Amino acid sequence: MKIEEDLGYINVLKRATKLLWGNINLVLFLCLCSLPLFCFLIFFELSLQTTVSFASQYLVRQLNNWNYYYVPRDAALSENLLPLLIQTFLLYLFPYSLLDLLTTTIIVSASWIVHTSEEEPLRFGQLVRRTVEICQNRLEGCLITSLYILLMSTPVLFGFFFVATNYFYIISLIGLGDYSHYYYIDLDEDSGGYYRSSRFDDPVRMLFDAVMAMFHGAIYLVLLAMFSKWSAGWNMGLVISVLEEDQEEGQNIYGTDALTISAKYGKGHEKRGLQVMLVFLVFAIAMRMPCFCFKCTESSNGHRVLYTSFYVGLICVGNMIKWVACVVFYEDCRAKVLEKKGDVEIGSKAKTFVA
């Protein structure tokens, strides 16, 4: 089998974009299928913004009052934070995960049908019918594979949480988070008056703060790279659960079997998978950051909902391109494994013939 040379991650993204936007029926179908996820994400993101706002206010209050014997607490803040955390977690675990899994299965199935179809162009009704046939047979296996992925990704997510918590804990112990003590009044003996001094003038204190920030930032980046690298294999496992079946038994491939095949296909392509996943992960974070930094929760509801709808729409478009890119990445990795397998079989037959 003669196939193209190894694709760089830029070419993977280009092929995915070309495949997606080269068929208007595919774009229309995927947009309609992503609409339920889009609507729910608006509600989920608004809840997430409120939760992050309450959590940040609570952490700042605790850090600013760490050195006081009596710590004043905002009763409404502390009482509302825990229910918000539970609500956001449950929304992510059940409705969001199921909607995302269903949307992912449809995107992978439809993009693969268009990619492998010999009919030009593929009609909308044909695309819908073939996609439904694949999804209704593979959705259960995809659910099992996604549960394995959730189990394996949980330690990494706890790692992100531990790094952030540990950093806040350290700076609270040494008083770096106590902004009320950064400025204090000293007596000027020469003039007989007072002047304002700042702890920012302490180079040792500032150096330690910078070292702590760089240390925890480096750990965070390492975890981010590991998560992106592993998510490439996990996502390919979901693609395998949708597109492949056991030729001998005629059953769907899912769970540990799909992840094992994914590791086999992705061997030697880890860097490319890392780069592809990192692009979409950074994109998703970048879309959310302006709202968190500029405190959308404090703005009027109209502007908050409008901006949230805007970046959620971009995230849904990025999600479509991401899964089409995963299909392209899967196809290329699988083709190279089959090519190597074919070369080995041809070589063994040649040796047998010579003998």
Side-chain angles (χ1 to χ4, degrees):
M1 183 187 302
K2 184 178 180 180
I3 60 175
E4 298 179 3
E5 294 183 359
D6 193 20
L7 298 173
Y9 79 100
I10 295 295
N11 291 328
V12 171
L13 298 178
K14 286 181 178 179
R15 283 187 59 187
T17 306
K18 182 179 179 180
L19 175 62
L20 184 61
W21 303 112
N23 190 304
I24 188 62
N25 289 330
L26 176 63
V27 176
L28 179 60
F29 178 54
L30 295 186
C31 288
L32 290 175
C33 294
S34 300
L35 190 58
L37 180 63
F38 168 76
C39 296
F40 177 78
L41 266 180
I42 296 176
F43 172 75
F44 176 76
E45 290 292 330
L46 292 174
S47 175
L48 180 63
Q49 292 167 15
T50 304
T51 303
V52 172
S53 176
F54 270 80
S56 62
Q57 293 177 35
Y58 181 79
L59 287 174
V60 169
R61 179 177 295 277
Q62 297 304 307
L63 293 178
N64 287 342
N65 297 283
W66 186 271
N67 292 328
Y68 290 100
Y69 177 75
Y70 173 72
V71 180
R73 296 177 182 272
D74 187 343
L77 185 64
S78 59
E79 290 177 1
N80 292 334
L81 180 58
L82 184 59
L84 280 173
L85 289 172
I86 296 175
Q87 172 186 306
T88 305
F89 175 74
L90 292 178
L91 286 174
Y92 174 80
L93 190 61
F94 293 105
Y96 172 73
S97 297
L98 292 177
L99 274 175
D100 184 57
L101 178 63
L102 179 60
T103 306
T104 297
T105 306
I106 293 174
I107 293 173
V108 172
S109 303
S111 58
W112 181 256
I113 290 171
V114 172
H115 183 60
T116 58
S117 176
E118 297 180 356
E119 301 178 26
E120 293 291 345
L122 192 65
R123 292 194 297 271
F124 186 83
Q126 293 176 318
L127 178 61
V128 173
R129 185 179 66 256
R130 295 183 186 180
T131 302
V132 171
E133 290 176 355
I134 294 177
C135 291
Q136 67 183 5
N137 296 325
R138 307 296 171 87
L139 191 59
E140 182 179 354
C142 291
L143 178 61
I144 296 175
T145 305
S146 65
L147 291 177
Y148 277 97
I149 293 173
L150 179 63
L151 182 64
M152 291 185 292
S153 62
T154 300
V156 183
L157 298 178
F158 274 114
F160 285 117
F161 177 78
F162 175 77
V163 170
T165 305
N166 188 64
Y167 176 69
F168 281 115
Y169 179 71
I170 291 177
I171 65 174
S172 64
L173 287 180
I174 63 177
L176 289 172
D178 190 1
Y179 296 102
S180 62
H181 288 87
Y182 271 127
Y183 294 97
Y184 54 93
I185 305 300
D186 281 349
L187 176 65
D188 188 350
E189 297 179 355
D190 296 332
S191 62
Y194 293 90
Y195 69 94
R196 196 178 190 186
S197 180
S198 171
R199 289 191 179 182
F200 285 115
D201 296 331
D202 187 354
V204 176
R205 189 182 185 88
M206 293 183 62
L207 178 62
F208 187 80
D209 188 17
V211 170
M212 285 293 99
M214 292 176 61
F215 175 74
H216 288 86
I219 296 177
Y220 187 87
L221 291 177
V222 170
L223 288 175
L224 187 65
M226 291 172 58
F227 184 79
S228 300
K229 178 181 177 180
W230 293 339
S231 64
W234 298 336
N235 290 342
M236 192 190 297
L238 272 177
V239 173
I240 291 172
S241 299
V242 176
L243 301 180
E244 289 198 19
E245 64 179 16
D246 194 333
Q247 296 180 354
E248 296 181 357
E249 300 180 1
Q251 297 180 351
N252 301 339
I253 299 176
Y254 55 86
T256 55
D257 294 334
L259 295 174
T260 301
I261 296 175
S262 173
K264 178 182 177 182
Y265 287 170
K267 187 176 182 180
H269 305 279
E270 292 85 359
K271 181 179 178 181
R272 185 155 55 107
L274 164 65
Q275 292 171 334
V276 172
M277 292 300 106
L278 198 58
V279 168
F280 293 104
L281 183 59
V282 172
F283 174 77
I285 295 175
M287 290 296 100
R288 292 177 170 92
M289 286 305 295
C291 197
F292 292 135
C293 293
F294 295 106
K295 299 181 179 180
C296 286
T297 53
E298 298 179 1
S299 62
S300 61
N301 291 332
H303 291 96
R304 179 188 175 194
V305 174
L306 182 63
Y307 178 73
T308 302
S309 303
F310 172 72
Y311 80 73
V312 164
L314 293 179
I315 289 175
C316 289
V317 173
N319 185 62
M320 287 191 295
I321 300 176
K322 181 187 77 172
W323 284 108
V324 177
C326 288
V327 171
V328 174
F329 182 60
Y330 154 79
E331 178 202 20
D332 185 57
C333 294
R334 178 175 177 271
K336 293 193 181 310
V337 171
L338 295 178
E339 181 187 36
K340 292 179 181 179
K341 183 178 179 181
D343 292 341
V344 171
E345 291 179 354
I346 292 174
S348 61
K349 290 180 180 179
K351 290 180 180 179
T352 304
F353 180 75
V354 171

